[in-house]
Amino acid sequence: MYNEKVIDHFQNPRNAGEMFDPSGVGEVGNMKCGDIMKIFIKVENDRIEDISFLTFGCGAAIASSSMLTELVKGKTLDEAMKITNMDVANHLGGLPEAKLHCSNLAADALHKAIEDYRSKVQ
Amino acid sequence: MYNEKVIDHFQNPRNAGEMFDPSGVGEVGNMKCGDIMKIFIKVENDRIEDISFLTFGCGAAIASSSMLTELVKGKTLDEAMKITNMDVANHLGGLPEAKLHCSNLAADALHKAIEDYRSKVQ
Amino acid sequence: MKRIYLDHGATTPMHPQVLEAMLPFFGQVFGNPSSIHSFGREARRALEESREKTALALGAAPGEIIFTSGGTEADNLAIQGVAEALSGKGRHLITSAIEHHAVLDTFKALSKKGFEVTLLPVDRYGMVDPDDLVSALRDDTILVSVMMANNEIGTLQPIEELSRICREKGVYFHTDAVQAIGNIPVNLKELPVDLLSLSAHKFYGPKGVGALFVRRGTKLGKLFFGGGQEKKQRPGTENLPGIVGLAKAIELAVVDIPGKAAAMAALRDRLIGSLLEQIEEVQLNGHPVQRLPGNVNVSIKYVEGEGLLLDLDLKGIAASSGSACTSGSLEPSHVLMACGLDHQTAHGSLRLTLGHNNTAEDVDYAVEIIKGSVARLREMSLLYKNYRRKNDNPQTGEEETSCITKK
Amino acid sequence: MKRIYLDHGATTPMHPQVLEAMLPFFGQVFGNPSSIHSFGREARRALEESREKTALALGAAPGEIIFTSGGTEADNLAIQGVAEALSGKGRHLITSAIEHHAVLDTFKALSKKGFEVTLLPVDRYGMVDPDDLVSALRDDTILVSVMMANNEIGTLQPIEELSRICREKGVYFHTDAVQAIGNIPVNLKELPVDLLSLSAHKFYGPKGVGALFVRRGTKLGKLFFGGGQEKKQRPGTENLPGIVGLAKAIELAVVDIPGKAAAMAALRDRLIGSLLEQIEEVQLNGHPVQRLPGNVNVSIKYVEGEGLLLDLDLKGIAASSGSACTSGSLEPSHVLMACGLDHQTAHGSLRLTLGHNNTAEDVDYAVEIIKGSVARLREMSLLYKNYRRKNDNPQTGEEETSCITKK
Ligand SMILES: Cc1ncc(COP(=O)(O)O)c(C=O)c1O
Ligand SMILES: Cc1ncc(COP(=O)(O)O)c(C=O)c1O
């Protein structure tokens, strides 16, 4: 079902866990659909210096959270805003059709976290 | 499908063949149903002294013709008139359900042969 | 006793390589293809590989193959499925008079549910005339079903032409290819049929598994409801060993069909020739040329088919017949009747269907046995005696035979 | 890696004796049971012996067994068949909310064709209340279908009582016994059900073959049309190896059910006990006592089922879940929802179904693995962190989670 890269991110998730003093947080999903993700970012000089996630969800949800954090770490906020859920799936080498729309929401959570940060610094 | 006794009568039919100077003949069946039988009898002193059959038909038709001839040889005409198709089937140890009504007509042919004889001697 | 199997039209022995391919799936690889764990994934992989192999053998795409429990289910799914899906568009259906009961009886059932069914006639060789199809097509026709090869008389229909006519009119075309697969080449890339049925046990595969080809985009209802298997089109836990067996069997079946068919047709013609030459009053049923390479169907007059089969069986020859007495019904073969045979000739039909293991020796031996049986049965046949008498004194008229029909 | 199969509710490995019984029918005994020659008669004999064995195992008469391609077909034949046969008498049908999709979706399809369907609710343990059936029955009710044992939560229904209620009212009663056969005793001499479905691969038999028990005199339509097989009720060349396998499997399955069930229930209770004791926030789904001897279904809160399954699978444990993420649909198990679980608890469900080959060692090993997986997944679970935070500072309210649903 899942390819090896997805399995690797699921088994060895990068940047999993809470962050204690985040610059911004973003959360998406709901209990009905079964996947909920929260992204924490630490921003310095308009760059994502650190990032972490918490996810309740299926293998695809965990792997895409992990992949997203790896993708954007060190990127500027503007660069990070351009990353889409589809980019995440592509970097994972693809996800099963059924998972593309329900479990692949990490970029949305990131964008919310950036908005959260921006709303706070304004 | 057929029991051993039926197979034996089919393989080694008793009294098969035409009779050249019969006292009576009886024929039943039709081409549509696929079974046609003809019984030839030779009567002496109101007894069936000799009997033979010709049959176009399935295994059951041949076996029941053969069995019938064996059953009635030597019987009086009145005794022979009492023999039914069911008696023939029973003496064969039974016939498949589907064959009971379409292929088990030898007694009918015999009764016709007896009637034929009686109509001629009257 | 030497036994010779000449009934490959009924079913075939499984190819040893097919069993070999199936065995792991009765053993370690026992998972349910719907399960997401490794046991399930192994099973799913085998399922999808089997679908690919099957598709490849037919010139189809894997997504166009639905596995079923056999030819009957495939025929029913195609016909009932189209009737359901398109009943809003029209209620007229067309099929031929010589279809297998799996097709014919399904149409009969639909005709009781408000559909109108036109039966195309066949000529004396069992062939459908494409002009008859053209005349039968109407604006409300939603499906035409004509079999690729007939199971009794082996006649091959002009499927290419028939399906092209339907394609041009935008009418779905189904063909029951149960007897054709493995015997004649079928390439769905070129043949414009929308639905095609097949059954593994007719081409040296396992019993109880078949497939329906459904060309992409074809609208189809379903027979069963349940889980999501076969794209929800045919739910139920998949018969994985059976499906693997079907795939292996069709892979083997399509190797060098022209070569295998030519060899078998030569054997078939030897058998037909011997029967016609060596036994009096025998006629060939079905088409002399457009016929399955392994099919022989003759009527042996003045002998009833079931009795003949029984006698042959007792001597080790396995064959079949269109006689009413073999069918459980009181009617002789609807196929032979549709070809215009009279009852007597239909009752005396004998079908011998060759397989890959049969040899010229088998054929010659079978002819000897058949000759003996026919002679024995004719010796006690009332009809044969009548025939001889008529032949000897041609002036005597044939007697009427009285009829007692009981039920 | 050690692999432990705990998904016997999905399918079971075939018993070696079943394969042994089947093998001759892939080899010499390859005839078509409808053929009248010796090859066919051998096949027919095996078919009828299989029917007798199957009937004997169930307390039925051989004439009451129709072989099908599996549980799904048996369920569909029963339900669609009664609906068709009795549609003149009434159009009201009753089933339960927790049936397998093979039953539920068939009723749904019928409800689109002019039938009215009442779904009986279940209590938190998944149990149907016979009083609800009494209230639901109407003069135009023609069929009630309630499963004997649920496939997800293992709950055993009061079939004896439910079927007796229907018998008294003269309403047909069908039960899907696909999960029950081989696990609990079933004696159709005493149980007044009219129709019962089973599927061989659930009791160590082959996939792709099942049966429907149809009590003598029960009126039933059909799904397929075609040849005369299975008394015309289910045409198509019989899957003889499969049927022989089913018969052997059920013969083995019914030997000492009480003994085998007791041993398995002990293992089940050991597994349930360990999970409840060793992992926090776990609840048992289904009935605590009236449940299949091999069924364990727990909800492990704050962990999503599909992720857990995947992790377990990577560690060699094969299980299943009622999580929406395993189903392809976006909905969690209708069974768990019918029992009143909230979405989160349903998403965190884990089903472990034991088989005859599982040992106490397997169970203990699985518990260790599950503990580790749960800990790892909870460590990154947002919901678990929220729960811990709330537990540590009970005054903090839980945050609302926003929802982005895309389709
Ligand atoms: C032409 C044709 N169609 C359909 C079928 C039905 O196939 P099955 O018996 O595998 O269901 C058969 C064989 O019996 C057949 O010869
Ligand atoms: C309760 C129940 N009914 C019906 C079925 C369907 O059986 P099959 O998949 O063999 O068609 C299953 C299993 O999948 C089941 O568990």
Side-chain angles (χ1 to χ4, degrees), chain C residues 9-10 69-75 98-103 147-152 176-180 197-202 207-210 351, chain D residues 32 227 229 234-238:
Chain C
S69 68
T72 298
E73 188 190 334
D75 284 339
I98 62 159
E99 298 296 313
H100 188 270
H101 282 292
V103 169
M147 71 202 311
M148 195 169 277
N150 183 269
N151 46 306
E152 293 188 34
D176 175 341
V178 167
Q179 291 285 339
S197 309
L198 56 89
S199 184
H201 73 100
K202 304 285 188 183
K207 292 178 176 60
V209 59
R351 182 185 76 165
Chain D
N32 186 324
Q229 295 92 346
R234 201 286 178 185
T237 301
E238 299 87 346

Side-chain angles (χ1 to χ4, degrees), chain B residues 1 11 17 35 38 40 45 49 51 57 60 63 74 78 89 91 94 111:
Chain B
M1 188 166 72
Q11 276 191 294
D35 290 304
K38 189 168 187 172
F40 303 82
N45 301 326
E49 285 301 313
I51 181 163
D78 285 345
H91 274 88
H111 300 163

Side-chain angles (χ1 to χ4, degrees), chain A residues 38-119:
Chain A
K38 189 167 186 174
I39 296 280
F40 304 82
I41 51 172
K42 181 142 306 172
V43 180
E44 259 169 55
N45 301 325
D46 226 46
R47 271 186 197 279
I48 295 174
E49 286 299 313
D50 199 10
I51 182 165
S52 78
F53 76 90
L54 285 178
T55 292
F56 168 92
C58 64
I62 290 171
S64 53
S65 304
S66 163
M67 181 39 117
L68 182 274
T69 63
E70 204 174 67
L71 268 180
V72 301
K73 208 175 204 172
K75 288 227 163 35
T76 67
L77 295 183
D78 285 346
E79 285 166 347
M81 282 303 286
K82 288 194 191 117
I83 286 189
T84 65
N85 292 329
M86 212 55 210
D87 292 335
V88 176
N90 289 341
H91 275 89
L92 282 170
L95 283 171
E97 183 61 32
K99 299 290 179 187
L100 274 179
H101 297 292
C102 62
S103 314
N104 182 27
L105 303 171
D108 295 338
L110 169 69
H111 300 162
K112 282 204 168 193
I114 295 175
E115 281 159 21
D116 177 47
Y117 162 74
R118 284 181 168 161
S119 74

Side-chain angles (χ1 to χ4, degrees), chain A residues 1-2 7 10-13 16-18 27-38 53-60 62 85 98-99 101-102 105 108 112, chain D residues 302-304 306-308 310-311 314 324-326 328 330-332 343-344 347-348 376-377 379-383 385-386 389 399-407:
Chain A
M1 186 165 71
Y2 294 129
I7 294 292
F10 171 76
Q11 275 192 293
N12 312 294
E18 249 170 318
E27 191 181 317
V28 295
N30 79 348
M31 204 52 251
K32 255 189 115 170
C33 4
D35 288 305
I36 303 183
M37 313 179 178
K38 189 167 186 174
F53 76 90
L54 285 178
T55 292
F56 168 92
C58 64
I62 290 171
N85 292 329
K99 299 290 179 187
H101 297 292
C102 62
L105 303 171
D108 295 338
K112 282 204 168 193
Chain D
Y302 317 121
V303 169
E304 193 281 324
E306 192 251 37
L308 178 58
L310 182 57
D311 206 50
L314 291 165
C325 300
T326 64
L330 288 172
E331 287 298 309
H343 273 85
Q344 183 186 323
H347 279 302
R376 178 174 102 78
L377 292 170
E379 212 30 64
M380 40 180 168
S381 164
L382 180 57
L383 299 176
K385 297 287 172 176
N386 290 346
R389 185 168 311 121
E399 309 164 46
E400 276 265 316
T401 55
S402 64
C403 178
I404 300 183
T405 315
K406 299 191 182 179
K407 182 75 217 203

Side-chain angles (χ1 to χ4, degrees), chain C residues 236-237, chain D residues 70-73 75 100 102 147 149 151 176 178-179 199 201-202:
Chain C
T237 301
Chain D
T72 298
E73 188 191 332
D75 284 339
H100 188 270
M147 70 202 311
N151 46 306
D176 175 342
V178 166
Q179 292 285 339
S199 184
H201 74 99
K202 305 286 188 182

